[in-house]
Amino acid sequence: MTVVVLLAAGRGVRMRSERPKVLHEAAGRPLLDRALDGALAVAGSAAQVVVVVSKGGDAVAEHVKAAYPGVRVVPQGPPRGTGDAVRAAAHAFGKAMHVVVLSGDVPLLSPETVKGLLEALKADKKAAAAVLTAKLADPTGYGRIVRDRAKRFVKIVEEKDSSSKEKKISEINTGTYAFDRTFLDRSLPLLTSRNSQSEFYLTDVLSLARKAGRRVVLVEGDPLSAVGVNSRADLAHVDSILRRRCADAAMAAGATLLRPETVTLDETVVLEPDTVLEPFVTLLGKTRVGSGSVIGQGTVVKDTVFGKNVTVRPYCVIESAVVGDGAIVGPFARLREGTDLAEGVHVGNFVETKKAVLKKGVKANHLTYLGDTEIGERTNVGAGVITCNYDGFLKHKTTIGRDVFVGSDSQLVAPVTIGDGAIIAAGTTVTEDVPNDALALAREPQKNLPEGGAKYRAKKRQQR
Ligand code: UD1
Ligand code: MG
């Protein structure tokens, strides 16, 4: 049996953040979730995964308990180094023969790589540990693998403790290990904090192995499995790699991305075949785009489901909405939470919707606010119509029937109901319910003063 320990208690000082490092997100998911998925794939069951978190109401523990039930959470006292962190988890090793240690801040590591490392340990009966290494063009910041002349493992030296000669070593420690459990149990109490950071280094266990005449297997992984997130710049680097993978996967699955390097996709986004994403589109969260749909340039979408053959014209902002088949949205539309557009609805430029259910064929093409409203089939909402849903204290609902014509620049003061087939004259302020097929008109009658315009101009000219 193998237990997988995931280290997630470090301070993440270099992030300069109130938020724990491993809860920072790349491609829309916390770094920790990515590492936990890997840990679960290697361990086989949640009960064999142990996450080491900081003591004292840390958000990391809460997050793990909510998102990964069954995974064990172990608090570490003050963070005194990776060796101390594994020591904190030791009581949870159970009957494990092997202990895999992963870092919560190494998000590009694949479970296959970790499984390979574990196999390499198991294959060598004399080995006390296996370490995943990588050769990096720029090894700055990582612990270096020091070998002797015969290329055998000697030790891992941290950047901060290294000599200038050691700094030139390009082979680094990725922070991923597989240990013989008995050896690890015996070695952890022997660690000291005599180093430049006054920390208990897990890497010193490997020096102890060598001194005890046990072998340390070094397995070289690809450079990406080494990428650790220690700073905001590292986070941006990982984010761009992951998002590029999302874009490549979307294209492989049949989506057209017109300028893939400008498109931002969360990993959780699903694109059906034959969707088109124009340049600078951002799709986040649980967004799903049906086949044949086109998302226009510069549009930002979160948690929204689009049906088939939807056209979103450029520069729309859409969140928590449902957009039906064949609907046309934008340009410059804002669909907010609770917007539900049925098949064939048109929502045009500078239209804002919130908790708005627009039935089949409704058109609201220009400069309109539709909030807390339900609008029946085929109704046309003219330019500048406003549902006055808020009285300064409470929100109220506007119900509009089907085949209604709401003239331009009308205000519908909620709560109010407009019956099927009604017509609202342009410029009307509707304060009372309108029956089916009625014509509602509420505005000052127009006066035309004969020659009034000409007289006015003459007067103004005289005053100049
Ligand atoms: C560590 C390795 C280094 C390696 C690098 C790879 C040591 C001494 N050094 O350095 O050789 O090249 O990872 O990324 O192990 N953590 C705890 N409790 C602590 C300290 C850290 O849980 O007290 C956790 C952190 O949250 C993080 C992981 O352990 O997930 C690694 O810690 P970090 O401080 O980032 O170590 P590095 O300096 O990157
Ligand atoms: Mg690190």
Side-chain angles (χ1 to χ4, degrees):
M1 205 186 82
T2 300
V3 71
V4 180
V5 178
L6 187 61
L7 305 185
R11 279 167 299 214
V13 189
R14 289 164 278 183
M15 293 294 280
R16 298 183 192 284
S17 175
E18 288 293 313
R19 192 168 8 156
K21 172 165 79 177
V22 295
L23 294 185
H24 281 263
E25 291 182 356
R29 294 187 69 211
L31 297 175
L32 185 64
D33 288 18
R34 221 169 277 287
L36 269 166
D37 286 350
L40 284 168
V42 173
S45 88
Q48 280 154 254
V49 176
V50 181
V51 185
V52 181
V53 303
S54 309
K55 217 173 203 160
D58 190 296
V60 178
E62 296 305 310
H63 178 83
V64 176
K65 281 174 195 156
Y68 290 84
V71 165
R72 280 177 299 163
V73 176
V74 168
Q76 183 191 7
R80 295 188 295 166
T82 48
D84 182 59
V86 174
R87 209 148 58 182
H91 71 273
F93 289 171
K95 293 196 171 82
M97 305 263 291
H98 300 100
V99 178
V100 168
V101 176
L102 307 175
S103 294
D105 65 346
V106 180
L108 301 178
L109 178 65
S110 78
E112 286 63 40
T113 304
V114 183
K115 283 180 191 164
L117 186 72
L118 186 58
E119 290 315 311
L121 173 70
K122 288 180 183 170
D124 188 337
K125 294 286 169 250
K126 288 211 175 116
V131 182
L132 185 69
T133 71
K135 290 214 175 84
L136 300 186
D138 178 11
T140 312
Y142 292 95
R144 310 295 207 283
I145 308 286
V146 180
R147 294 178 185 249
D148 64 13
R149 286 197 182 165
K151 299 276 174 212
R152 282 174 311 215
F153 175 82
V154 176
K155 64 172 177 176
I156 292 173
V157 61
E158 293 306 299
E159 168 99 16
K160 284 184 181 147
D161 304 298
S162 63
S163 65
S164 53
K165 195 173 154 211
E166 287 166 337
K167 283 196 178 68
K168 293 203 182 85
I169 299 171
S170 63
E171 190 182 16
I172 62 101
N173 168 27
T174 64
T176 303
Y177 321 82
F179 293 99
D180 170 66
R181 188 263 170 94
T182 316
F183 178 77
L184 186 63
D185 275 346
R186 237 182 281 139
S187 309
L188 287 172
L190 306 178
L191 295 179
T192 70
S193 58
R194 285 193 293 268
N195 51 57
S196 67
Q197 305 186 77
S198 302
E199 283 187 0
F200 294 91
Y201 291 166
L202 180 61
T203 44
D204 287 348
V205 168
L206 306 164
S207 311
L208 293 172
R210 181 172 170 267
K211 282 177 196 146
R214 299 284 300 269
R215 259 204 293 272
V216 173
V217 182
L218 299 175
V219 177
E220 189 182 330
D222 76 290
L224 284 184
S225 50
V227 177
V229 175
N230 294 309
S231 64
R232 304 274 180 164
D234 293 339
L235 186 66
H237 178 56
V238 165
D239 184 74
S240 74
I241 290 170
L242 288 170
R243 292 199 192 275
R244 181 67 217 199
R245 282 187 192 168
C246 295
D248 288 343
M251 290 189 283
T256 292
L257 272 58
L258 290 182
R259 293 263 306 281
E261 70 280 14
T262 69
V263 166
T264 303
L265 298 178
D266 274 357
E267 240 168 40
T268 38
V269 168
V270 179
L271 304 178
E272 287 181 9
D274 288 318
T275 52
V276 177
L277 306 186
E278 292 182 359
F280 296 99
V281 161
T282 295
L283 303 181
L284 307 174
K286 296 190 191 89
T287 294
R288 187 183 179 96
V289 187
S291 62
S293 294
V294 179
I295 310 294
Q297 174 156 333
T299 290
V300 179
V301 182
K302 196 175 172 196
D303 297 333
T304 292
V305 178
F306 297 94
K308 297 187 191 313
N309 303 312
V310 170
T311 303
V312 177
R313 297 194 169 124
Y315 304 107
C316 293
V317 178
I318 302 175
E319 185 167 349
S320 303
V322 175
V323 181
D325 295 350
I328 301 175
V329 177
F332 299 102
R334 180 173 184 212
L335 310 185
R336 292 167 54 200
E337 75 280 2
T339 294
D340 184 348
L341 309 184
E343 195 184 329
V345 164
H346 291 193
V347 168
N349 37 258
F350 305 106
V351 172
E352 175 184 347
T353 62
K354 187 218 68 175
K355 288 190 188 154
V357 179
L358 275 56
K359 299 278 172 64
K360 207 168 158 180
V362 167
K363 289 184 182 148
N365 273 327
H366 333 267
L367 302 156
T368 284
Y369 174 60
L370 301 172
D372 302 296
T373 185
E374 197 176 313
I375 307 180
E377 292 174 11
R378 296 174 301 279
T379 285
N380 191 303
V381 178
V385 169
I386 294 170
T387 54
C388 309
N389 60 332
Y390 186 48
D391 60 12
F393 296 91
L394 293 171
K395 299 283 166 66
H396 302 282
K397 195 171 171 186
T398 302
T399 306
I400 305 176
R402 52 187 142 77
D403 299 304
V404 171
F405 180 88
V406 184
S408 294
D409 197 27
S410 295
Q411 301 92 51
L412 313 175
V413 182
V416 73
T417 298
I418 296 169
D420 295 343
I423 293 179
I424 312 298
T428 295
T429 299
V430 180
T431 51
E432 279 166 39
D433 291 355
V434 180
N436 290 356
D437 292 315
L439 172 73
L441 174 75
R443 60 190 184 214
E444 277 292 289
Q446 183 174 329
K447 268 189 284 188
N448 283 346
L449 307 178
E451 291 299 311
K455 284 179 192 161
Y456 176 81
R457 267 197 299 275
K459 189 167 133 197
K460 285 288 175 192
R461 277 195 200 107
Q462 256 178 13
Q463 288 170 351
R464 251 200 289 201

